[in-house]
C-alpha cells in the first residue's frame, strides 16, 4: 500500500543528461539567450520585429512595464518606426485598439539636441500626437480603463524627465532676475506641447471617469507633476498650471494631498534653496483654490496661511511672484476679516530693511490688505503698523516715502486712520514735519503737506497739540545738543590749558568724558 502511495508522488526533477555530461552546448546557450531576450524586451523586440506586431504585443499587455519607460535606440528607430492608419479610416470596433497602438508609437522619446536626427520619425510622431489630441477632444463614450492606463504611460514617458537647469556661474545666480534673464527653452517642445495638450484635453473631458482615472493619476503621478514646475521653460509651466488645476477640480480625493505637496515645495523654497522657477504658477493655482474655500475657514487653511504663505515674503526674489502672493493673502482676508491682524503682523515680521524696491511692494500689498480690514482688527495692529509707516515716511528713498503717503488716497484706509487719529497722528507727526522741511524730493514734500492738511481739517485741536509737543521735543533736543557741545568745548579748553602750562598732554578716560557729558545732559 505504501508503495502505491509513493508511486503516485511526483518525482523530483533531475538535470538533463546532456547538460550533466557536458553534451549539446547549443541547447543551454539557446535557453540562456531566450531568457535574456524576454528580460530585455525593449531593445531586442524593437530591432527584430515589425512595428505592427510590436504594437499588437503592447495592445495585449504582454510586455513588462519597462518597455514603456525605455526609449528605443536611435540606431534602430528608422527600421521600426512607421506611421499607422488614421483613426478615421477604421471602423468603430477597431478604433480602441488602433488608439492604443498610436499611444505606444508616441511612447518613443527622441533626441532633440541634434536637430538633424530622425527627422522623418519625429514628424510621424508629431502628426500622430496631433491626431490623438483631436480624437480625445471629440471622443464620445466613456474612456475604458485599459485606454487610461496606456494614456498615463505615454504621458509619463514623454514629460517625466530630469530637468537640466541653464548653466550660470555663482555671480549670475546671486543677481538672477527671472523677468530680465532669457528663459531656457526646451528643444523638445514641438512634441512636449502636444503631449501636454493631450493630457489637458483628457483630464478636462467629461468622458473621463475620475473614479477609474485616479488609479493611474495617483499621488506618485501628482508628485512627479509638481516636480516639473521647476522647469525654466515658461510655456511648460503654463501647461503644468492648467492641467494641475483641472486635476484638482476633477479628483477630489487628491485635493488635500496636492495642497500638502505644494506646501512642502514652499517650505523647501523659503527655508532651504530660495530658488524655484514655478512659485508664481503654483500661487496662481492656490489663488483659485482659496477663492473656493467654504466658510468658516478650516483650521488647516489658516495654518497654511501662517506657515506657508506669509513666510513667502522672506526671499529676495519676491518680485517674481509678488502679484500672486498678494492676491492669495488678500483672498484670505476677504474670506475671514479676523485674519487681517495676523497678516499685517506677518508682513511687519518680514518687512525689508535695506531693500527699497521690496519695501515698495510691501506697501502696495499692505494697501490691498487694509482695503479688506475692518475697524476691530485694524485697532489691534495699528500701533506697530504705523510705527513702520512712520519709518517709511522718513525714508530718503523717494519711492518708499511716496508709496507710504499714497495710503491716504485710499478712501477705506483714510477712513480707518481718521477714526483712530488720536493714536496714529502722534506716531507719524514727527515724520510728517521733518518731510515738509528737510526731504529732498519735491513730490514727497507736496504729498506730506496734503496729509498734514487732512489731519488739521479733521481735528485741528489734536493737530495743534501734536505740533506743540513736537516743538517742545525739538527744543529739548536742541538744548541737549547745545549742552553737549558746551561740555566738549570745556573739556577741550581744559586740555589746552594743561598742555600750554608745560605739562604733558592729557589723556582722559572714556568714563571721565562720559560723566561730564551725562551731567551736562
Amino acid at each position: 500500500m505504501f508503495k502505491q502511495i509513493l508511486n503516485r508522488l511526483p518525482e523530483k526533477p533531475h538535470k538533463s543528461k546532456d547538460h550533466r555530461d557536458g553534451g549539446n552546448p547549443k541547447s543551454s546557450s539557446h535557453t540562456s539567450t531566450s531568457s535574456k531576450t524576454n528580460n530585455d524586451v525593449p531593445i531586442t523586440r524593437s530591432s527584430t520585429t515589425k512595428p505592427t506586431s510590436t504594437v499588437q504585443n503592447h495592445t495585449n499587455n504582454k510586455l513588462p512595464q519597462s518597455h514603456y519607460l525605455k526609449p528605443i535606440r536611435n540606431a534602430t528607430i528608422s527600421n521600426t518606426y512607421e506611421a499607422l492608419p488614421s483613426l478615421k479610416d477604421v471602423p468603430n470596433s477597431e478604433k480602441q485598439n488602433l488608439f492604443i497602438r498610436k499611444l505606444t508609437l508616441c511612447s518613443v522619446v527622441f533626441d532633440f539636441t541634434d536637430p538633424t536626427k530622425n527627422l522623418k520619425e519625429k514628424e510621424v510622431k508629431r502628426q500622430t500626437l496631433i491626431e490623438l489630441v483631436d480624437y480625445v477632444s471629440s471622443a464620445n463614450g466613456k474612456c475604458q480603463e485599459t485606454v487610461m492606463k496606456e494614456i498615463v504611460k505615454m504621458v509619463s514617458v514623454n514629460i517625466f524627465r530630469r530637468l537640466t537647469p541653464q548653466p550660470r556661474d555663482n555671480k549670475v545666480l546671486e543677481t538672477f532676475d527671472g523677468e530680465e534673464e532669457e528663459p531656457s527653452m526646451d528643444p523638445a517642445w514641438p512634441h512636449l506641447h502636444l503631449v501636454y495638450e493631450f493630457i489637458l484635453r483628457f483630464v478636462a473631458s467629461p468622458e473621463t471617469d475620475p473614479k477609474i482615472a485616479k488609479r493611474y493619476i495617483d499621488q506618485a503621478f501628482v508628485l512627479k507633476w509638481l516636480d516639473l514646475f521647476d522647469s525654466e521653460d515658461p510655456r511648460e509651466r503654463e501647461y503644468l498650471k492648467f492641467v494641475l488645476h483641472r486635476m484638482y477640480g476633477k479628483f477630489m480625493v487628491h485635493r488635500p494631498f496636492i495642497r500638502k505637496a505644494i506646501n512642502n515645495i514652499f517650505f523647501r523654497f523659503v527655508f532651504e534653496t530660495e530658488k524655484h522657477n514655478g512659485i508664481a504658477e503654483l500661487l496662481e493655482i492656490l489663488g483659485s483654490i482659496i477663492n473656493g474655500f467654504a466658510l468658516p475657514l478650516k483650521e488647516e487653511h489658516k495654518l497654511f496661511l501662517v506657515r506657508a504663505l506669509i513666510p513667502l515674503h522672506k526671499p529676495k526674489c519676491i518680485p517674481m511672484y509678488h502679484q500672486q502672493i498678494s492676491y492669495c493673502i488678500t483672498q484670505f482676508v476677504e474670506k475671514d476679516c479676523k485674519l487681517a491682524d495676523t497678516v499685517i503682523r506677518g508682513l511687519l515680521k518680514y518687512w525689508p530693511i535695506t531693500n527699497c524696491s521690496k519695501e515698495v511692494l510691501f506697501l502696495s500689498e499692505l494697501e490691498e490688505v487694509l482695503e479688506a480690514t475692518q475697524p476691530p482688527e485694524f485697532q489691534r495692529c495699528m500701533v506697530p503698523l504705523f510705527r513702520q509707516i512712520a519709518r517709511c515716511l522718513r525714508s530718503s528713498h523717494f519711492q518708499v516715502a511716496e508709496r507710504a503717503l499714497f495710503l491716504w488716497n485710499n478712501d477705506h484706509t483714510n477712513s480707518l486712520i481718521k477714526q483712530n487719529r488720536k493714536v496714529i497722528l502722534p506716531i507719524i507727526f514727527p515724520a510728517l514735519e521733518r518731510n515738509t522741511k528737510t526731504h529732498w524730493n519735491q513730490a514727497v514734500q507736496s504729498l506730506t503737506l496734503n496729509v498734514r492738511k487732512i489731519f488739521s481739517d479733521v481735528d485741528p485741536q489734536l493737530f495743534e497739540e501734536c505740533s506743540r509737543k513736537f516743538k517742545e521735543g525739538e527744543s529739548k533736543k536742541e538744548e541737549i545738543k547745545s549742552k553737549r557741545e558746551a561740555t566738549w568745548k570745556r573739556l577741550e579748553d581744559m586740555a589746552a590749558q594743561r598742555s600750554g602750562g608745560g605739562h604733558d598732554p592729557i589723556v582722559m578716560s572714556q568714563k571721565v568724558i562720559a560723566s561730564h557729558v551725562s551731567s551736562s545732559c
Side-chain angles (χ1 to χ4, degrees), residues 128-144:
T128 305
L129 285 170
I130 292 173
E131 186 181 6
L132 291 178
V133 171
D134 293 337
Y135 181 77
V136 78
S137 302
S138 59
N140 295 322
K142 294 294 182 181
C143 187
Q144 300 297 320

Side-chain angles (χ1 to χ4, degrees), residues 363 392-393 395 397-407 409 435 439 441 443-444 447:
L363 287 166
C392 294
L393 293 173
S395 175
H397 195 289
F398 80 96
Q399 289 180 333
V400 176
E402 187 179 54
R403 191 64 189 83
L405 290 163
F406 281 158
L407 291 174
N409 292 340
N435 274 3
H439 203 283
N441 186 269
V444 172
L447 287 170

Side-chain angles (χ1 to χ4, degrees), residues 331-458:
Q331 286 291 306
F332 265 106
V333 178
E334 290 178 354
K335 288 278 183 180
D336 187 354
C337 61
K338 294 181 180 179
L339 293 173
D341 176 49
T342 302
V343 168
I344 291 174
R345 291 183 184 273
L347 287 175
L348 296 176
K349 178 181 178 180
Y350 295 104
W351 199 277
I353 298 174
T354 58
N355 192 334
C356 294
S357 60
K358 188 175 176 182
E359 203 166 2
V360 172
L361 294 177
F362 271 54
L363 287 166
S364 300
E365 182 177 352
L366 178 63
E367 182 177 354
E368 294 183 12
V369 173
L370 290 174
E371 182 73 30
T373 303
Q374 299 303 315
E377 286 71 35
F378 180 79
Q379 291 171 1
R380 293 193 188 102
C381 61
M382 62 183 176
V383 173
L385 172 61
F386 278 88
R387 284 176 181 165
Q388 182 60 57
I389 291 176
R391 287 191 284 270
C392 294
L393 293 173
R394 295 196 302 266
S395 175
S396 58
H397 195 289
F398 80 96
Q399 289 180 333
V400 176
E402 187 179 54
R403 191 64 189 83
L405 290 163
F406 281 158
L407 291 174
W408 276 264
N409 292 340
N410 186 289
D411 293 336
H412 182 71
T413 305
N414 193 17
S415 174
L416 291 173
I417 294 172
K418 288 179 179 178
Q419 294 173 18
N420 301 276
R421 58 187 179 274
K422 292 184 178 180
V423 177
I424 294 173
L425 184 57
I427 296 174
I428 65 170
F429 191 87
L432 295 175
E433 287 298 305
R434 291 190 180 96
N435 274 3
T436 57
K437 298 175 182 178
T438 61
H439 203 283
W440 63 272
N441 186 269
Q442 188 63 39
V444 172
Q445 288 188 9
S446 61
L447 287 170
T448 304
L449 290 172
N450 292 338
V451 172
R452 288 178 79 256
K453 189 174 185 304
I454 291 174
F455 283 109
S456 62
D457 293 342
V458 172

Side-chain angles (χ1 to χ4, degrees), residues 65-76:
Q65 186 176 358
S66 61
H67 182 89
Y68 300 94
L69 303 179
K70 294 182 180 180
I72 300 175
R73 291 180 178 177
N74 290 339
T76 61

